[in-house]
Amino acid sequence: GCTADAADGAGEAVVEAGPVRELSVQGMEYLVRAGYLEHDWHRRHHVHLVFSNTDLFQLETFTPKDFVWQGKKEANGDEDAEEALGDTSASLGTQGAKVYVHKVTSLNLDFNRLTDVEFNAGTTRPGSITGNTFGSLRTLKMRQNRLVDPVLLMPRLRELYLAGNRLRRVPKLTGVPSLEVLNLASNVITELDDDDAFAPVVHLRNLDLTYNHIQLGPESLLNTLETLFNSCRTLERLKLHNNPFCGYFCEYQVLVVKMLESLSSLDDLHFAGHDGAALREEMCKEADAFFGRSWRAAVHPVDGSQLGPVKRIGDLGEFNSVVVPFLKAELGVEVRTLEEAQGYFLYDRAAALRSVVKERRESASRKGARLGQVGVAMEKADKHSDGPQLKSLLGEMEEALLDPEQARSAMQIIFQAADTISQAARTKEFFKTIKESKARADAVASFVEQICFIHEKHPELSVVIIRSLGRFCSVSEYGMDLLCFSALATIAKASTAARDEVMEVLTLVVLPPISDMNIQDAQCANAVIGLSSFDCPELADRLGVIFPMLCNFYLKWPAANDDDASGRSAHIKRSLCSLLRTAVQNPDNARALLQDHEQLLMALSQDILKRDELFNPSLCSQYVSAIGIVKETAKIMPAETLAYLKQESFHAELDHAVWEIFVLQRKESEELGIPICKKLGSAIDILVYMMEVGGESLAHSLLVEQGSKESEYHRGGLFETMLKVASEEVPDPVMLAASLRGLTYVLNSDKFRSRFVQSIITRMKLLDESTILPLVDRKGFKDLHQKCQEHTDFVELAEAAQAGIQAQTSFGVVTNPIAHQALATIVRFLNTFSEKGSSATDDRDGTQVFFEEVAQALNAQGCNTKLFRLLEVPSQDLKAEVLGSLKTCDIGSMEKDQVEIMLELLDATRVNRDEAMLITVIGSMKELIMASVDFRSKFGTQVINKTLEILGANEARKTYGVDDEHYWKTKLSEKAVGLLARSSEGDNLFIRKHFRTAFHTERFHLIMKNEEVGHHADAP
C-alpha cells in the first residue's frame, strides 16, 4: 500500500515498541508518521500490500484488530467505497471500519508468524486471505511463516511462495487452478505420496521443491513426472536438488529431462541457446542408455490396432509375436529373453532399478553416509547399546563435515538421539563408551562445535539443528547444556527465522521443565546461566512462565562469600540478575514486579545504593544488570516506578554515591578501572533517565538541590559529575554517553538552559579548543576507541589495540556498539548548538547568542567536515544523527571538501556491502537537491550521475533466491528511483534536461532490462 514516496522513506524509521504482531489503526498511523505510509492509506484502493519488513512486522494474525479488509462484493464501486470510509482517519476509530482491498493483486507476508488459520474460508473468518475479500489476488508470498497444511482456495492466484514453512506434504492444489509459479522450498515434505498432486495446476510454469526431505524411488518419480507431463504441459522451470533422493538416485536429472521436454531449466542446468540444446541432447542419450529407448511412440501390433505410449512391456502383449518385432522395427535391436527386452521399456526399467537404488542406500549406510536411512543408521550405531552414544554421534558429525550430502541424514539421527537421551535413564548410557571425565567433556565440546559448523554450512537444516540443541539443553553432565545454550544464543543472531525458531524451542522444550525446579538443581541453575547469555529482546515474552520463580530465587540466593571458591554462586546470582533484566522488558513482567514482587525492587535499589557494590569490581555485571532492571521497569511503568524510587530517596542517594566514589577514586588514581566506569556509567544513565521522564521537579532536585549541598564529597551533584566527565581529554565512553545525554537535556530545557549553558561552554572550551570535538576526529578517536574495546568483554586487549590502530585510518572498521553510542551522543550534543543557534523561535531566556557563538566556533574548527566523516561508521543511529545536522547546515556555504565527503559516500562500489548507508545518504541528498537551488546548480549533476551508477550496479545484482540480499536490493533501488523521480518533477528543467542525454537513455534501458530479468517469475 505504499506509494513511491512512502517506500522511499522506508528503512530510516524505527518502530518504537518493537515489531507489530497485530494490525491496528494505531500501528498504521505510526507508520504514517514514520514515513512508511501515506496519510490517506485507509482511503486508497490498494494494489500491492507488503508486510515483510521484520523490523516493523512479526504478525501472528492477518486479521486487523479494529478495522477490516473489505472485498469487492461488499463495495458498490469506488465512489461508494470512498464515501463509506469517510474523509478523515477519525472514521477508523470505531470497530468494523473498512479498508478496501478488492484491487490488491500482490500480497507479501514473508517473515511473519502466520499459521494455517489465515486460509480459513472467508465466510467463517471475515477478511481472510481466501474467499472473496482478496478476489483479485495474483501473487501471494508467505515465506518463513508457520504454515503446516493450508487450505488453498484462490481460483485466480498465479504465484504462490511458501518456502521456509513447516509443510509436510504438497498442499491440495485443486483450489488454485490458475497457478503458474509454486515455491515450496525449505519445508519438511518427505514424499510425494499423491502422484496426481500437481494435476489441477495445468498452467504451472515454475515449481521449486528444493531443500525438503523428499524420498523418491525411480517408480514414484516416474509417476510424478508422468502427471506433470500430462497435466502441466507449460512447465518450464523445475528445481529438485538438495533432497535426500538426489544423493542415492543421481540419474533423476536425465530422467526428468527426457520426460519433460518443455523444461528450459532443471536445478542449476539451463537448456536455452545452442549450448543448452547440446546439453539436453546429451542428457537424453544418457536417459536412453539407462532407462531404455521406448517412451511414447505409438505402436501397431500384428493385429493392426494402435496402442498408446508404451510404458511397460506388458502393454504390447505376447513376447515373440509382438515384443520382438516391435523392438526390431522401432529400435533396431534383437532380443532373445524377456529380461533383455525389459531393459528397453521405461517402467520395467524403473522397477528393476528399485533394487539398485536400495543397494546404493544400504551401501551408503555401511560407509556412514546414511543418506536418509535414519532407522538403519541408528540400529548400526547403537547395536551394542540400550540407546544412542556420544562416540557414534561424533562419527556421524565427522562424516557429515567431510561429505555435505550426508549432513541432512546426520542431523536426523542426532535429532532422534536428542529425544532419547533427554530421558534421565539414557544419559549415562550416552557417555558410556568414553571412559575418562576429561575426554567426555572434550567430546561434548567437539560435538556441539561440529553441530554449529554444520549450521553455518547448511542453513537449510536450521530447524532440526535448533530443535536438537534444545533437547540437549536438558543434559547437564559435562557442561553439555551450557554449550548448547551458547550455541542457540549464537544461532539466534543469524537471522530472524532462526531467532523465531530458537524462541519457539525455548518456550516449548526448555522452559516448561525448569518452571517447577529449584535453583539448587544443577539443570535449573545451568538453564538460568545459559538463558542469561541470550542478547535477544524477544526472550522477554517467553520468560513469563518462570518470572515468579526468578524473582524468588534472586531474593533467596545468598550473597557471594569466601566459601564460594569456584565462583559458581556469584555466577548464578549475576545470571539471575541479567535474566530478570531481560524479563522486565515485557510489560506483563514489569507490572508483576511492581505489583507482586515489590520486595525484589526494594532489594535491587538497596543493592544499587551500597558503596561496597560500587567499589567492588567483581560485582560489575550484576550491578549494571540491577540498574537495568529498574530502568526497564521504569520505561514500561514510569509513574509507578519513579514514585516508588522517589519515596525511597533513590535518586538523591545514588547521586551522592556516584559523586563520592568519583572523587575518592580520583584521589587514589588518575584512571578509573573499566568495572568502576561501567557502574558509574549505568548509574549516571538511570539518573539522567529519571531526570528526562520524571518532570521538572525531579530534574530540579538532581541538578540544583543536590548541587547546592556542601558535604566534603558532594559539592557538585549530577550536573557537576556530567560536566566533569565530558570535559576530560579522553573520557570513559560509557560515562561520556550518559553524561552528554544529560547535558543535552539541560541545553534543551527552558527551565535549566539559562542557568547552566555558560558553565557548559566554558568548562568544555567550546569557543576555543573544544575538548569534545577531537574525539570525532580520526586521530583523537583512537584513544576513545581503545577504551570502547576494553569495555567489550569478549575482545582481548591485543585485538583491541589492533582495532584502535585500524580505527585511526578508517571509521569503516568501527563495529563496537559502545563506540557507536558514544559517537551518536557526541553528534547529538554538538547538533544542539547548531539547532538552537539557527532557531527562529522567541529568545526569551537570552541564550541564543551563546548557541550562535558556539556554532560559529565549531564550524571554524571544521565540525561539519569531521561529522561527515562519521558517515563511514557502520551504525544506522549514528548516520541518522550526522545527517540530521544537515538540516541546520548552510548548503550554499559548504566547503568543497565537505561536499566531496558526501559525494564520496555515493559510491557504486558500496553496493552489496553497505546498502543501509547508501539508502541514508541518497535520502538526505534528495532533500538537499530539492531544498536548495544553489546546491542543485552546483552538485545536482554529480548527485544524479552517481545515483544512476548506484542504481545500475544494484539492478545488475542477481539476488533472487537470497531473500536478505533481495530485500536490501529492492530498498536501495526504491531510494535511488525516489531521488531521480523527485529530481525530474516541477520546475527542475535543468535536471530534467540532464536526463535526456543519449548516455542516460542507454543507462536507463540497461537498468530496465536488468530489472525485468531480475524480477522474472522465478524470482522471489
Side-chain angles (χ1 to χ4, degrees):
C2 294
T3 64
D5 292 341
D8 189 47
E12 297 177 10
V14 179
V15 176
E16 295 170 340
V20 175
R21 299 181 187 273
E22 183 179 19
L23 296 174
S24 66
V25 172
Q26 182 181 5
M28 302 297 270
E29 289 302 318
Y30 173 79
L31 296 179
V32 172
R33 295 193 300 273
Y36 287 87
L37 291 175
E38 291 295 328
H39 64 89
D40 58 347
W41 63 273
H42 52 281
R43 290 197 294 270
R44 292 177 177 239
H45 291 273
H46 302 282
V47 178
H48 307 287
L49 294 178
V50 181
F51 299 94
S52 61
N53 186 331
T54 54
D55 291 330
L56 298 177
F57 303 105
Q58 288 183 10
L59 297 178
E60 296 177 351
T61 176
F62 187 56
T63 303
K65 179 180 179 181
D66 47 12
F67 64 91
V68 296
W69 304 122
Q70 186 69 63
K72 186 174 182 180
K73 282 191 174 182
E74 295 81 355
N76 297 317
D78 291 356
E79 295 180 1
D80 293 342
E82 291 282 359
E83 182 179 355
L85 202 55
D87 295 330
T88 68
S89 60
S91 63
L92 285 171
T94 59
Q95 186 72 23
K98 301 174 181 178
V99 176
Y100 285 86
V101 293
H102 59 278
K103 292 185 178 181
V104 171
T105 59
S106 69
L107 176 59
N108 189 335
L109 293 168
D110 290 343
F111 310 111
N112 283 287
R113 302 179 178 184
L114 301 175
T115 62
D116 296 345
V117 72
E118 305 303 332
F119 291 91
N120 286 353
T123 55
T124 60
R125 186 182 177 88
S128 67
I129 297 173
T130 56
N132 297 321
T133 305
F134 290 86
S136 299
L137 196 61
R138 299 293 186 273
T139 301
L140 175 61
K141 297 181 179 182
M142 293 189 69
R143 290 166 296 191
Q144 298 292 345
N145 278 276
R146 299 178 179 182
L147 306 179
V148 177
D149 190 15
V151 178
L152 305 176
L153 295 173
M154 293 167 281
R156 304 174 75 177
L157 192 70
R158 294 179 182 174
E159 300 184 16
L160 178 60
Y161 300 89
L162 299 180
N165 279 279
R166 303 172 183 180
L167 306 181
R168 297 186 178 277
R169 64 182 182 87
V170 176
K172 298 293 184 182
L173 302 176
T174 52
V176 284
S178 303
L179 205 62
E180 298 178 6
V181 177
L182 178 60
N183 188 331
L184 301 177
S186 300
N187 279 281
V188 287
I189 300 172
T190 55
E191 58 184 15
L192 304 177
D193 48 2
D194 185 356
D195 295 338
D196 295 327
F198 302 102
V201 284
V202 297
H203 303 291
L204 194 65
R205 294 184 294 105
N206 185 330
L207 176 61
D208 190 342
L209 292 169
T210 54
Y211 293 104
N212 275 282
H213 300 178
I214 300 174
Q215 304 278 8
L216 280 178
E219 291 173 291
S220 54
L221 176 61
L222 194 57
N223 291 332
T224 301
L225 294 176
E226 193 70 27
T227 300
L228 290 173
F229 172 78
N230 293 328
S231 304
C232 309
R233 297 299 182 107
T234 58
L235 189 65
E236 298 175 1
R237 300 179 181 89
L238 177 62
K239 292 183 178 181
L240 296 171
H241 64 81
N242 284 87
N243 276 288
F245 78 89
C246 301
Y248 55 75
F249 182 29
C250 53
E251 297 86 0
Y252 81 93
Q253 287 186 325
V254 296
L255 177 58
V256 171
V257 171
K258 184 70 176 180
M259 288 286 289
L260 304 179
E261 299 173 353
S262 62
L263 285 185
S264 62
S265 69
L266 169 64
D267 296 338
D268 56 351
L269 304 175
H270 300 277
F271 308 119
H274 177 75
D275 292 341
L279 176 61
R280 179 191 292 276
E281 183 178 356
E282 180 182 350
M283 293 182 72
C284 287
K285 289 180 180 179
E286 291 181 21
D288 287 344
F290 194 79
F291 290 101
R293 287 175 284 168
S294 176
W295 292 77
R296 300 187 182 88
V299 179
H300 297 273
V302 177
D303 61 4
S305 61
Q306 180 173 332
L307 299 178
V310 178
K311 300 178 181 178
R312 301 175 179 82
I313 197 170
D315 295 338
L316 290 175
E318 204 275 335
F319 177 73
N320 290 320
S321 61
V322 179
V323 175
V324 174
F326 165 74
L327 290 176
K328 186 173 183 179
E330 296 290 336
L331 304 179
V333 296
E334 296 185 3
V335 295
R336 297 182 180 180
T337 65
L338 181 63
E339 290 75 14
E340 186 180 358
Q342 285 176 332
Y344 294 96
F345 293 86
L346 181 60
Y347 274 73
D348 292 322
R349 177 64 170 150
L353 279 174
R354 184 192 310 146
S355 59
V356 175
V357 170
K358 182 178 180 181
E359 183 180 347
R360 289 178 184 172
R361 294 170 72 174
E362 292 176 351
S363 175
S365 178
R366 286 193 296 272
K367 293 177 182 178
R370 307 308 195 255
L371 295 170
Q373 293 289 316
V374 177
V376 175
M378 291 295 292
E379 182 180 353
K380 182 184 179 222
D382 304 305
K383 59 185 178 181
H384 301 301
S385 170
D386 293 331
Q389 295 181 346
L390 177 58
K391 192 172 182 178
S392 65
L393 294 183
L394 281 169
E396 292 288 338
M397 302 301 295
E398 291 173 2
E399 292 287 346
L401 290 171
L402 290 174
D403 185 357
E405 293 292 334
Q406 303 176 29
R408 184 181 298 274
S409 58
M411 285 313 308
Q412 289 173 333
I413 295 169
I414 288 166
F415 178 74
Q416 287 192 357
D419 255 350
T420 303
I421 71 162
S422 61
Q423 306 168 22
R426 294 290 184 90
T427 303
K428 290 184 178 180
E429 191 68 32
F430 183 64
F431 298 100
K432 185 175 180 180
T433 53
I434 304 175
K435 302 300 182 184
E436 297 180 359
S437 295
K438 185 179 184 304
R440 291 180 177 182
D442 292 341
V444 166
S446 176
F447 176 67
V448 177
E449 184 180 18
Q450 288 177 359
I451 290 180
C452 293
F453 284 154
I454 288 182
H455 183 268
E456 291 177 6
K457 293 184 177 182
H458 300 276
E460 71 278 4
L461 301 178
S462 181
V463 173
V464 68
I465 289 173
I466 291 170
R467 294 181 182 182
S468 299
L469 289 170
R471 283 165 170 77
F472 281 122
C473 284
S474 64
V475 182
S476 57
E477 286 82 353
Y478 307 103
M480 173 169 272
D481 48 0
L482 291 175
L483 290 171
C484 290
F485 275 118
S486 178
L488 287 173
T490 301
I491 290 173
K493 299 177 182 178
S495 67
T496 302
R499 182 189 64 213
D500 290 345
E501 187 63 36
V502 169
M503 292 300 107
E504 194 76 4
V505 167
L506 292 179
T507 304
L508 300 178
V509 178
V510 177
L511 294 177
I514 68 173
S515 61
D516 297 325
M517 291 184 182
N518 190 291
I519 192 66
Q520 301 295 341
D521 187 295
Q523 182 181 342
C524 182
N526 285 355
V528 169
I529 295 172
L531 289 169
S532 68
S533 66
F534 281 77
D535 182 16
C536 189
E538 289 77 11
L539 181 60
D541 299 335
R542 316 288 175 147
L543 293 175
V545 64
I546 63 170
F547 183 70
M549 177 192 77
L550 295 175
C551 294
N552 293 329
F553 285 167
Y554 185 88
L555 289 171
K556 296 177 181 179
W557 196 257
N561 53 63
D562 295 336
D563 295 333
D564 184 28
S566 66
R568 179 171 172 81
S569 179
H571 192 185
I572 294 173
K573 186 70 175 283
R574 290 196 301 271
S575 300
L576 279 169
C577 205
S578 176
L579 203 54
L580 283 168
R581 181 182 183 179
T582 300
V584 294
Q585 294 178 40
N586 175 276
D588 294 334
N589 294 336
R591 293 188 190 96
L593 176 61
L594 278 172
Q595 297 168 4
D596 304 327
H597 303 282
E598 190 174 301
Q599 281 186 319
L600 175 61
L601 190 59
M602 181 184 299
L604 289 167
S605 59
Q606 290 173 352
D607 287 345
I608 292 170
L609 296 176
K610 290 177 182 177
R611 302 298 195 273
D612 292 342
E613 296 280 338
L614 273 168
F615 274 111
N616 190 342
S618 67
L619 301 177
C620 176
S621 61
Q622 182 177 324
Y623 184 90
V624 173
S625 293
I627 287 183
I629 296 171
V630 176
K631 183 177 177 181
E632 293 297 338
T633 306
K635 284 182 179 179
I636 294 172
M637 303 184 71
E640 295 85 346
T641 307
L642 293 181
Y644 173 82
L645 295 176
K646 286 171 67 176
Q647 180 183 349
E648 300 295 323
S649 299
F650 175 83
H651 61 292
E653 292 296 326
L654 183 59
D655 182 24
H656 193 175
V658 168
W659 179 253
E660 182 177 330
I661 191 172
F662 195 62
V663 174
L664 280 176
Q665 286 293 100
R666 282 307 170 88
K667 285 184 176 181
E668 298 171 2
S669 171
E670 286 298 320
E671 287 291 333
L672 293 171
I674 292 297
I676 302 297
C677 288
K678 282 179 179 286
K679 294 180 179 183
L680 290 175
S682 61
I684 296 171
D685 180 71
I686 193 171
L687 288 171
V688 171
Y689 177 78
M690 293 177 69
M691 183 171 64
E692 292 172 334
V693 302
E696 291 184 350
S697 62
L698 183 57
H700 186 272
S701 174
L702 284 167
L703 294 171
V704 181
E705 294 176 9
Q706 293 296 107
S708 65
K709 294 182 179 180
E710 294 296 332
S711 64
E712 180 181 359
Y713 302 119
H714 199 268
R715 297 192 178 93
L718 179 61
F719 175 74
E720 186 65 24
T721 302
M722 297 187 299
L723 192 55
K724 188 174 179 65
V725 171
S727 302
E728 292 185 335
E729 185 175 349
V730 185
D732 178 81
V734 174
M735 295 175 64
L736 177 67
S739 298
L740 286 182
R741 207 177 87 238
L743 294 177
T744 303
Y745 166 82
V746 171
L747 292 174
N748 283 303
S749 169
D750 294 337
K751 183 176 179 66
F752 304 112
R753 180 169 52 243
S754 61
R755 186 184 188 108
F756 295 111
V757 64
Q758 288 180 284
S759 296
I760 294 174
I761 294 172
T762 303
R763 294 277 295 278
M764 296 182 69
K765 302 178 182 179
L766 295 177
L767 293 176
D768 190 12
E769 294 294 329
S770 168
T771 59
I772 198 73
L773 194 56
L775 297 178
V776 299
D777 195 10
R778 283 176 175 169
K779 185 176 181 179
F781 176 68
K782 178 181 177 182
D783 293 332
L784 182 67
H785 187 258
Q786 171 73 32
K787 288 193 173 184
C788 293
Q789 293 293 79
E790 292 173 5
H791 266 283
T792 309
D793 297 334
F794 56 83
V795 177
E796 297 292 338
L797 291 180
E799 296 176 348
Q802 181 62 31
I805 294 172
Q806 293 176 336
Q808 184 177 356
T809 58
S810 174
F811 279 121
V813 301
V814 179
T815 58
N816 190 304
I818 296 175
H820 294 172
Q821 184 181 25
L823 289 173
T825 53
I826 292 173
V827 175
R828 191 179 307 123
F829 174 77
L830 296 174
N831 281 347
T832 303
F833 290 94
S834 300
E835 293 171 0
K836 296 292 181 185
S838 61
S839 175
T841 57
D842 184 18
D843 184 23
R844 295 182 180 181
D845 56 10
T847 59
Q848 185 166 355
V849 62
F850 299 120
F851 288 99
E852 290 175 353
E853 290 177 357
V854 172
Q856 293 172 5
L858 291 174
N859 286 335
Q861 297 174 54
C863 180
N864 284 339
T865 301
K866 290 180 172 66
L867 295 187
F868 288 166
R869 293 284 183 193
L870 295 180
L871 289 171
E872 298 176 14
V873 179
S875 166
Q876 283 298 101
D877 291 340
L878 179 57
K879 288 182 174 71
E881 294 292 344
V882 173
L883 294 172
S885 66
L886 294 175
K887 297 177 182 178
T888 57
C889 182
D890 184 0
I891 300 297
S893 63
M894 285 182 67
E895 299 292 337
K896 183 179 178 181
D897 59 341
Q898 296 174 357
V899 177
E900 288 177 349
I901 290 173
M902 297 190 69
L903 291 176
E904 283 177 10
L905 297 173
L906 283 178
D907 184 358
T909 62
R910 294 179 182 270
V911 172
N912 200 27
R913 62 185 177 89
D914 201 358
E915 295 94 335
M917 192 277 294
L918 289 173
I919 287 170
T920 304
V921 175
I922 291 174
S924 296
M925 284 293 189
K926 184 182 76 171
E927 298 301 324
L928 291 171
I929 208 170
M930 296 305 299
S932 170
V933 175
D934 193 27
F935 184 88
R936 189 160 60 244
S937 62
K938 289 182 180 179
F939 310 115
T941 300
Q942 294 181 67
V943 171
I944 290 171
N945 287 342
K946 284 179 168 289
T947 303
L948 272 171
E949 290 178 7
I950 290 170
L951 182 60
N954 193 47
E955 286 298 330
R957 295 163 61 191
K958 295 181 179 180
T959 59
Y960 42 85
V962 185
D963 291 341
D964 186 57
E965 288 190 26
H966 192 72
Y967 169 82
W968 283 108
K969 173 186 174 182
T970 303
K971 291 299 178 186
L972 180 56
S973 290
E974 287 174 347
K975 185 65 72 173
V977 170
L979 183 146
L980 299 173
R982 281 295 183 89
S983 300
S984 62
E985 291 176 354
D987 299 327
N988 301 323
L989 299 179
F990 169 78
I991 298 178
R992 291 167 65 182
K993 182 179 179 180
H994 181 69
F995 281 142
R996 298 192 184 112
T997 64
F999 171 79
H1000 290 100
T1001 301
E1002 181 180 351
R1003 176 155 292 189
F1004 271 122
H1005 286 167
L1006 179 61
I1007 289 171
M1008 293 306 297
K1009 179 180 178 181
N1010 285 332
E1011 171 72 12
E1012 183 177 358
V1013 172
H1015 287 78
H1016 58 70
D1018 193 31

